[in-house]
Amino acid sequence: DQQVKQNSPSLSVQEGRISILNCDYTNSMFDYFLWYKKYPAEGPTFLISISSIKDKNEDGRFTVFLNKSAKHLSLHIVPSQPGDSAVYFCAASATTSGTYKYIFGTGTRLKVLA
Amino acid sequence: NAGVMQNPRHLVRRRGQEARLRCSPMKGHSHVYWYRQLPEEGLKFMVYLQKENIIDESGMPKERFSAEFPKEGPSILRIQQVVRGDSAAYFCASYKTGGATNEKLFFGSGTQLSVL
């Protein structure tokens, strides 16, 4: 049972335009969400997070939106740069469960074209 | 400030051998996670450990796989009698509990296991 889903395996965007990566979840207990970026042969690195008490969090070019009723979150990158080309994973956790277990999606490969 | 250290980076084993993957968490982090990434797939949760304690091993295969995080030393993920299907990238992450809402996992660079 895939509790965190990223239905788009890949996305291509022109440099300077907006990249929108989507993530859906099924477990209503999830209350903390994170996005990670991964380059080949490296470990994932943290990008941005959002708690379920918010519906938006912004950090520079990166903004995460959370729609709790739809169990959906999205990562917006504006403007997109070639260096943003990587695999992006969303992750979710049910912090109230006390176990701090993070479930990851299958990832979306973003390619930013120069 | 050393990050999460994993070794070896690459490990080659023949079918039937044992694989031992090591992970040293970030300084001050008391929780370790192991994830597996199969080719063209996402990060699959395997196990979550605290010092001398397994908190959640719901993602671990029931046979041949085990993990430990002793009081002293790194966390070890052990795979006995490896098969070709075990070939994957294994990532370790560490975490520092503190009750803050902005806690996150810090990942190592991974161990690429290849089974011949």
Side-chain angles (χ1 to χ4, degrees), chain A residues 2 32 34 36 38 41-44 46 89 99-106, chain B residues 9 33 35 37 43-45 48 56 58 91 95 101-105 107-108:
Chain A
Q2 186 68 31
Y32 186 54
L34 310 92
Y36 280 78
K38 185 182 180 303
E42 293 184 14
F46 171 77
F89 292 98
T99 62
Y100 304 99
K101 178 176 167 182
Y102 291 79
I103 304 297
F104 282 76
T106 50
Chain B
R9 285 297 308 271
Y33 299 71
Y35 287 84
Q37 185 180 23
L43 294 163
K44 295 283 191 186
F45 169 81
Y48 159 41
D56 187 326
S58 57
F91 291 97
Y95 177 95
T101 56
N102 60 348
E103 298 288 4
K104 53 188 179 282
L105 298 180
F107 280 85

Side-chain angles (χ1 to χ4, degrees), chain B residues 65-76:
Chain B
F65 284 72
S66 62
E68 62 175 11
F69 188 16
K71 189 176 178 182
E72 302 291 336
S75 174
I76 307 283

